[in-house]
């Protein structure tokens, strides 16, 4: 297990555009433009095997169920090298979505160009964009990590979502996410 921190892309950055296959939908190409939420979009770099992702995935899905109806869309992206990490292959992504009952899109970034465009570093790595696709939050989901005995609450994301939905400014201090490094080719 690695302890890689997110790179904390500059707030206000416009979301890099992308079109990626969705293995769950027979590799249908889906774009940021077609998937974005009416009020905001959370892009999560994740994978199937990372203990940090496995630690939070159930609560992440609960947050999706709570906030999608309020106009916030979630998009998962797997950018790992599947030659070296076959547990993250598109076929295994389909199994992961079914096993975890994920309802948000989970896309495959085979070239790793999308991860590079976002300056993503770890799994999970969270980027929350407003309705104009400007970055308003990046960092951790909450303080819980595998083995630290802290409850998984999604607190940092919840605060970002609630502030945005209420038209309030975001917290000045945003803590980086921590997880396994993206498995680069």
């Amino acid at each position: 297990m690695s302890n890689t921190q997110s790179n904390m892309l500059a707030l206000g950055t416009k979301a890099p555009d992308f079109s990626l296959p969705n293995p769950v939908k027979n590799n249908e190409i889906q774009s940021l433009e077609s998937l974005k939420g009416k009020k905001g979009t959370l892009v999560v770099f994740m994978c199937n095997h990372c203990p940090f992702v496995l630690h939070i995935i159930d609560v992440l899905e609960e947050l999706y169920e709570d906030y999608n109806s309020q106009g916030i869309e979630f998009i998962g992206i797997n950018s790992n090298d599947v030659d070296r990490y076959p547990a993250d292959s598109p076929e295994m992504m389909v199994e992961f979505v079914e096993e975890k009952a994920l309802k948000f899109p989970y896309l495959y970034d085979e070239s790793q160009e999308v991860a590079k465009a976002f300056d993503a570093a770890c799994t999970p790595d969270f980027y929350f964009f407003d309705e104009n696709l400007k970055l308003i939050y990046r960092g951790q989901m909450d303080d819980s990590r595998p083995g630290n005995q802290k409850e998984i609450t999604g607190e940092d994301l919840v605060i970002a979502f609630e502030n945005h939905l209420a038209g309030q400014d975001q917290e000045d201090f945003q803590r980086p996410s921590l997880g396994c490094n993206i498995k680069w080719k």
Side-chain angles (χ1 to χ4, degrees):
M1 200 162 48
S2 171
N3 287 316
T4 301
Q5 286 190 345
S6 55
N7 288 325
M8 304 298 279
L9 188 64
L11 294 172
T13 299
K14 175 90 169 156
D17 195 27
F18 58 81
S19 294
L20 295 170
N22 184 335
V24 175
K25 296 191 177 244
N26 295 316
N27 291 315
E28 174 187 323
I29 302 300
Q30 296 184 309
S31 68
L32 172 61
E33 190 60 35
S34 67
L35 293 174
K36 71 180 181 180
K38 290 180 182 174
K39 300 238 175 125
T41 305
L42 180 72
V43 175
V44 184
F45 287 88
M46 53 187 271
C47 67
N48 308 335
H49 85 277
C50 171
F52 290 88
V53 172
L54 294 173
H55 181 71
I56 57 93
I57 195 67
D58 294 336
V59 173
L60 184 64
E61 176 59 28
E62 289 172 15
L63 291 176
Y64 177 72
E65 291 175 18
D66 290 345
Y67 286 96
N68 184 253
S69 62
Q70 297 180 59
I72 296 175
E73 182 60 73
F74 290 21
I75 303 169
I77 299 176
N78 172 12
S79 299
N80 276 358
D81 176 4
V82 300
D83 290 335
R84 290 190 4 230
Y85 295 88
D88 292 327
S89 71
E91 298 79 21
M92 297 302 287
M93 289 172 65
V94 173
E95 288 183 24
F96 184 77
V97 167
E98 290 171 0
E99 176 188 326
K100 299 298 181 184
L102 301 181
K103 294 179 186 66
F104 57 86
Y106 186 25
L107 311 179
Y108 179 47
D109 177 24
E110 181 177 13
S111 72
Q112 301 183 322
E113 291 304 314
V114 176
K116 290 174 185 172
F118 276 77
D119 199 21
C122 60
T123 57
D125 212 347
F126 300 94
Y127 300 82
F128 181 43
F129 298 91
D130 68 12
E131 61 278 0
N132 299 312
L133 295 175
K134 295 286 186 189
L135 185 64
I136 56 175
Y137 176 84
R138 76 285 192 249
Q140 68 179 10
M141 184 168 136
D142 61 29
D143 288 330
S144 185
R145 306 284 185 266
N148 77 356
Q149 309 307 315
K150 292 186 179 182
E151 182 182 1
I152 307 164
T153 62
E155 178 181 28
D156 293 56
L157 286 181
V158 169
I159 289 169
F161 296 157
E162 290 294 331
N163 283 343
H164 180 60
L165 292 171
Q168 297 177 356
D169 291 338
Q170 293 296 330
E171 302 285 318
D172 289 333
F173 180 68
Q174 299 179 4
R175 294 178 188 89
S177 190
L178 184 71
C180 295
N181 61 301
I182 290 178
K183 309 307 184 209
W184 302 106
K185 294 179 182 182

